[in-house]
Amino acid sequence: MIEVIELQVSLLEEVAAADSLDALEAVRVSAFGKKGRITEQMKSLSQLDGDLRKESGQALNLVKDAVLEAITARQADLNAAELEARLTHEIIDVTLPPRPRPDGRLHPVSQVTEECIAIFGEMGFTVAEGPDIEDDFHNFTALNIPPEHPARQMHDTFYLKGQDGGALSVLRTHTSPVQIRTMETSKPPIRVIAPGRTYRSDSDATHTPMFHQIEALVIDETTHMGHLKGCIIDFCRAFFDISDLPVRFRPSYFPFTEPSMEVDIGCSREGGELRIGNFGEGADNWLEIMGSGMVHPKVLEHGGIDSARYQGFAFGMGIDRIAMLKYGIPDLRTFFDADIRWIKHYGFVPLAVPSMVRGL
Ligand code: PHE
């Protein structure tokens, strides 16, 4: 009997001393496990006889109940303490913003590129790419600008030493070589836009040696000038978000299109300030924003496309330039100064991805 009482005392002490759920479990196993102290006592009852067995059995059952009850109570205490600790440690201040406000800004060139992709994407165009370092063939010859062609002088080209003493490479002077690369790798119908960096040796308030263009190319069996006009008018009005923006097509010349047209949009220059919009069709109310035309048959052939069967249009414009016009940025050179104050002022909040549905 004494033994049994001592067992109860020591088990209850151990239960009280258990300072974690793991420690408590260890005590439980040491009492009720296969070789536990109470389990062993229960087993040894069989060796006693008669009344002694009965008495001892009853006493042991009392000990067992007391210890189990103590364990359950201790378990509840420990659980409560753990919850309490988590509540004080994992405290959440619901008045804080969900995450730190992002300090970075998207460059207007990135923003406007995304806007163009959103608009042309809606029209069914996909994005194509080509290398910044081009060969003479893709930048010039394939675009119907042969070596002695005067149009080569129009582009103030940066030349690079050719590899292994080979022909000179160029930094592409426009995105039009992507037209050729797309024709070489895909079959009509083709409907792509190609945004990217372009390079010319030129620098003033509206020219930088590196700038950006976006090219569009559509080729199939039936596309005609009407489609070209519709596509460009729709783009201009969506991009500048002016539904009655005047758009004018003026005859021009590019070696790689025939016929060729420059595209003007409506503007006002009143008070020395340039504003895009519908200000009437006065002679001074036009601003040139892109070159366009029907793809020259020779260009199709250079791209490996049968010009007797296929036709289409192309156009190209300066991304930086339309960014300046849309967002009122006066000097192109500031685009590439990497000035944190400039990007804070003219930059765009990231994650607000432009879309035709949610806004550009
Ligand atoms: N590549 C021409 C330029 O840089 C623009 C253009 C593209 C014109 C496609 C016609 C067709 O000025």
Side-chain angles (χ1 to χ4, degrees), residues 143 154-155 173-177 179 198 200 211 213-216 253-254 256-257 260-262 288 290-295 313-317:
L143 289 162
M154 283 163 47
H155 300 209
T173 57
H174 49 178
T175 42
S176 300
Q179 288 189 34
T198 48
R200 291 180 199 176
F211 58 108
Q213 285 193 339
I214 186 163
E215 190 88 5
Y253 173 76
F254 299 101
F256 32 91
T257 46
S260 303
M261 290 141 294
E262 268 172 333
E288 188 239 307
M290 69 173 97
S292 71
M294 300 304 292
V295 179
F313 65 77
F315 56 86
M317 69 191 126

Side-chain angles (χ1 to χ4, degrees), residues 122-138:
E122 197 85 350
M123 297 183 191
F125 286 80
T126 55
V127 175
E129 283 182 317
D132 288 18
I133 299 175
E134 265 297 2
D135 51 44
D136 187 274
F137 175 77
H138 288 91

Side-chain angles (χ1 to χ4, degrees), residues 60-78:
L60 206 52
N61 269 332
L62 288 178
V63 172
K64 189 180 137 191
D65 290 348
V67 173
L68 277 178
E69 196 182 316
I71 288 178
T72 311
R74 184 73 190 138
Q75 207 167 28
D77 284 353
L78 287 170

Side-chain angles (χ1 to χ4, degrees), residues 133-269:
I133 299 175
E134 265 297 2
D135 51 44
D136 187 274
F137 175 77
H138 288 91
N139 195 80
F140 292 123
T141 310
L143 289 162
N144 196 29
I145 317 177
E148 274 69 48
H149 199 284
R152 289 205 179 195
Q153 262 91 67
M154 283 163 47
H155 300 209
D156 311 279
T157 312
F158 286 115
Y159 288 92
L160 302 172
K161 270 207 188 101
Q163 277 173 348
D164 306 326
L168 293 180
S169 299
V170 299
L171 289 179
R172 65 178 178 189
T173 57
H174 49 178
T175 42
S176 300
V178 185
Q179 288 189 34
I180 306 298
R181 294 200 175 266
T182 306
M183 292 180 207
E184 284 170 342
T185 53
S186 47
K187 288 197 173 74
I190 289 171
R191 195 180 290 184
V192 293
I193 50 167
R197 293 196 177 99
T198 48
Y199 306 83
R200 291 180 199 176
S201 179
D202 207 350
S203 184
D204 60 38
T206 53
H207 298 87
T208 48
M210 188 281 297
F211 58 108
H212 300 81
Q213 285 193 339
I214 186 163
E215 190 88 5
L217 176 69
V218 174
I219 294 174
D220 56 28
E221 295 185 27
T222 53
T223 286
H224 53 66
M225 284 262 282
H227 298 124
L228 175 156
K229 289 184 70 176
C231 178
I232 291 177
I233 293 171
D234 277 0
F235 168 78
C236 292
R237 292 183 176 165
F239 179 76
F240 289 104
D241 197 16
I242 302 172
S243 57
D244 64 344
L245 180 67
V247 181
R248 177 174 84 170
F249 293 79
R250 189 165 34 76
S252 183
Y253 173 76
F254 299 101
F256 32 91
T257 46
E258 180 59 34
S260 303
M261 290 141 294
E262 268 172 333
V263 181
D264 300 334
I265 55 173
C267 72
S268 144
R269 294 187 166 82

